[in-house]
Amino acid sequence: MDVNPTPTSPGILPEKNSMKTVRGFASATVGNVACGFDVLGFAITEPGDEVILTLSDQAQSGSPVSIVSITGDGGALPLDPKKNTSSFVVLKFLEYIRAHKQIDFTGHISLELKKHLPLSSGMGSSAASAAAALIAANELMGNPCSKMELVHFAIEGERVACGSAHADNAAPAILGNFVLIRSYTPLDLITIPSPEHLYCSLVHPHTELRTAYARSVLPKEISLKTATEQWGNVGALVAGLLTSDYDLIGRSLVDVIAEPKRAPLIPGFFEVKQAALDSGALGCSIAGSGPSIFAFSSSEKTAIAVGDAMKEAFLHSKTPLQSDLWVSPICKEGARIM
Ligand code: HSE
């Protein structure tokens, strides 16, 4: 954390004419985890987005938050603070602490966003930016909110980013670990620790798939047979995670709802999945809404071999695609101050 010129006490705004700077970080996340559409996600340790907030006691006309720079997005993200996910969630946070924590902020926050996650990748890019911004804003204001409270604003950010307020990226981006969303209204989140030797191979092919489009291809209704199969797998996956039963985790990574509809949108999906399984992965599926694909393994060594095989398969599929690979354990910490 960068503090200039002197640290302030929790809950107290800086001295007159002073500035304070905080840098937040939040990592990539994988939503759905195969069978848990919109109700299960996890965070990996890297890569992630950084948000640097500078607080000044000098109010400026217009919005209390302004975006001074965005790097790494190729100019794609909006600079309007109400339209950009990272600034939008800070505005919501400020409204909330004014109404519920009696903190009436009258100064100004300048926001710099350093994007390291690719956009429209299925790696929870918008959630990482929102989570990094929120952890930094909370720190700037003396930590008036718990991480659980921050998740609410991050979910609202998802609505701005893709039109759907799903929590399976936003919640693990802030809380770390696996997070199960038992209920959205009211929000009821359960964090699930990861088995010690569980590793994720996350492969991002160099193509984009917008979440809003990937959601539009999903069925509006499903049969009781399909639902039964899906919730059997979700329950078993959670049991496997809690008991470190790697075989059960592998058997449960089955998605009969979203994967069949989205797989055709990802060139080479079936070849990549087969390559992962042939190389010893416990299981493999689409990361969030895609086009990234994740696989689980029970050792780092296997996860590296699995990831390499997945990259090769993308390269040799009918539509050859270059890709990036990250091999990571599950991130325990969630969003943090750097
Ligand atoms: N649960 C969301 C979806 C995740 O599948 O649309 C988006 O990354």
Side-chain angles (χ1 to χ4, degrees):
M1 186 174 84
D2 213 352
V3 178
N4 180 25
T6 47
T8 55
S9 308
I12 299 173
L13 295 182
E15 300 290 315
K16 270 252 167 268
N17 302 320
S18 69
M19 307 241 279
K20 181 180 174 186
T21 297
V22 169
R23 184 186 291 254
F25 172 88
S27 57
T29 50
V30 173
N32 301 338
V33 203
C35 46
F37 177 74
D38 275 2
V39 301
L40 190 63
F42 66 88
I44 59 173
T45 55
E46 58 163 7
D49 284 355
E50 287 171 69
V51 172
I52 302 150
L53 298 184
T54 300
L55 171 71
S56 148
D57 66 326
Q58 305 289 305
Q60 291 183 15
S61 60
S63 172
V65 180
S66 60
I67 300 177
V68 291
S69 76
I70 305 179
T71 56
D73 69 325
L77 294 177
L79 288 161
D80 178 341
K82 288 202 184 87
K83 294 191 178 143
N84 184 290
T85 309
S86 55
S87 45
F88 174 83
V89 296
V90 176
L91 288 168
K92 290 282 148 200
F93 164 80
L94 292 175
E95 276 172 32
Y96 178 82
I97 61 170
R98 182 173 300 126
H100 299 281
K101 308 280 180 181
Q102 291 74 51
I103 298 176
D104 197 8
F105 173 64
T106 53
H108 186 80
I109 293 176
S110 305
L111 185 152
E112 290 170 60
L113 171 58
K114 293 186 189 296
K115 284 232 52 99
H116 301 292
L117 297 188
L119 307 176
S120 301
S121 60
M123 294 170 61
S125 179
S126 52
S129 297
L134 284 165
I135 204 77
N138 200 34
E139 176 78 14
L140 269 186
M141 294 295 159
N143 291 306
C145 290
S146 66
K147 277 190 161 185
M148 276 289 181
E149 284 175 290
L150 296 182
V151 172
H152 288 82
F153 315 120
I155 295 173
E156 283 308 308
E158 293 291 66
R159 198 194 300 280
V160 170
C162 73
S164 124
H166 57 277
D168 49 332
N169 294 111
I174 290 184
L175 302 172
N177 291 299
F178 284 83
V179 181
L180 175 71
I181 299 128
R182 189 204 62 82
S183 151
Y184 273 82
T185 43
L187 192 62
D188 188 359
L189 304 176
I190 296 130
T191 53
I192 301 166
S194 170
E196 200 184 332
H197 303 292
L198 192 67
Y199 280 82
C200 171
S201 314
L202 183 60
V203 180
H204 169 241
H206 294 180
T207 180
E208 289 190 355
L209 181 51
R210 297 186 75 85
T211 299
Y213 178 66
R215 292 180 80 85
S216 75
V217 304
L218 298 178
K220 300 281 170 283
E221 290 175 4
I222 54 171
S223 69
L224 186 59
K225 181 176 172 293
T226 302
T228 307
E229 206 175 327
Q230 193 86 353
W231 62 53
N233 280 308
V234 184
L237 177 55
V238 171
L241 293 171
L242 288 172
T243 57
S244 297
D245 184 335
Y246 295 96
D247 287 340
L248 182 57
I249 291 169
R251 292 204 301 283
S252 311
L253 289 175
V254 178
D255 174 11
V256 291
I257 297 173
E259 188 180 297
K261 299 290 179 197
R262 288 173 167 175
L265 308 179
I266 304 171
F269 173 78
F270 296 105
E271 293 90 329
V272 172
K273 181 169 176 168
Q274 195 56 51
L277 297 174
D278 290 347
S279 304
L282 300 166
C284 174
S285 188
I286 301 169
S289 56
S292 296
I293 301 179
F294 81 98
F296 280 147
S297 299
S298 56
S299 77
E300 186 174 23
K301 193 170 162 224
T302 308
I304 292 168
V306 164
D308 288 341
M310 292 165 76
K311 269 177 75 83
E312 273 299 298
F314 263 128
L315 210 50
H316 293 106
S317 76
K318 210 152 74 183
T319 312
L321 286 172
Q322 297 282 347
S323 61
D324 300 308
L325 163 68
W326 292 273
V327 173
S328 168
I330 309 307
C331 172
K332 293 187 172 66
E333 195 183 0
R336 64 175 197 271
I337 300 299
M338 293 175 87

